[in-house]
């Protein structure tokens, strides 16, 4: 249930009960954790449920069964390659691309 936000304060979104891979230098992972987003910033990431008493929570998301990677922006992928997979198995790459 969402509460109304205090004027001037950043609205918060809380995502809980999800697996979290922080992709930080230590490779921190939580089997069940939370992420709190205030405005457009990640405010906190941790194990278990979000802290009680957070102000200005306007949205709560149950992330059960999902993996959350806070702050990770995938700017490079090869998803499109499934279309051409196996078409040139006997060709050299640059001959096939030309």
């Amino acid at each position: 249930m969402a509460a109304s936000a205090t004027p001037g304060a950043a609205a918060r979104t809380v995502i809980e009960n999800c697996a979290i891979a922080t992709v930080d230098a230590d490779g921190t992972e939580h089997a069940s954790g939370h992420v709190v987003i205030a405005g457009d910033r990640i405010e906190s990431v941790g194990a278990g449920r979000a802290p009680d008493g957070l102000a200005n929570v306007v949205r709560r998301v149950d992330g059960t069964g999902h993996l959350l990677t806070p702050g990770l922006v995938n700017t490079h992928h090869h998803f499109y390659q499934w279309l051409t997979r196996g078409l040139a198995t006997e060709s050299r790459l640059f001959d096939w691309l030309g």
Side-chain angles (χ1 to χ4, degrees):
M1 180 169 160
S4 53
T6 302
R12 286 189 172 102
T13 298
V14 176
I15 305 170
E16 296 178 300
N17 306 316
C18 53
I20 297 175
T22 65
V23 195
D24 65 6
D26 297 326
T28 306
E29 296 180 356
H30 304 291
S32 181
H34 71 274
V35 173
V36 177
I37 303 160
D40 62 355
R41 305 273 179 180
I42 296 171
E43 184 175 70
S44 69
V45 176
R49 296 185 54 82
D52 290 331
L54 288 173
N56 302 321
V57 175
V58 296
R59 185 171 181 209
R60 286 192 175 269
V61 177
D62 180 6
T64 301
H66 297 278
L67 170 66
L68 195 141
T69 54
L72 176 67
V73 177
N74 180 10
T75 61
H76 179 96
H77 64 86
H78 295 265
F79 181 69
Y80 65 91
Q81 289 179 331
W82 71 270
L83 291 170
T84 58
R85 187 177 191 163
L87 290 180
T89 57
E90 302 300 321
S91 301
R92 295 177 62 186
L93 176 62
F94 289 104
D95 292 338
W96 181 69
L97 290 175

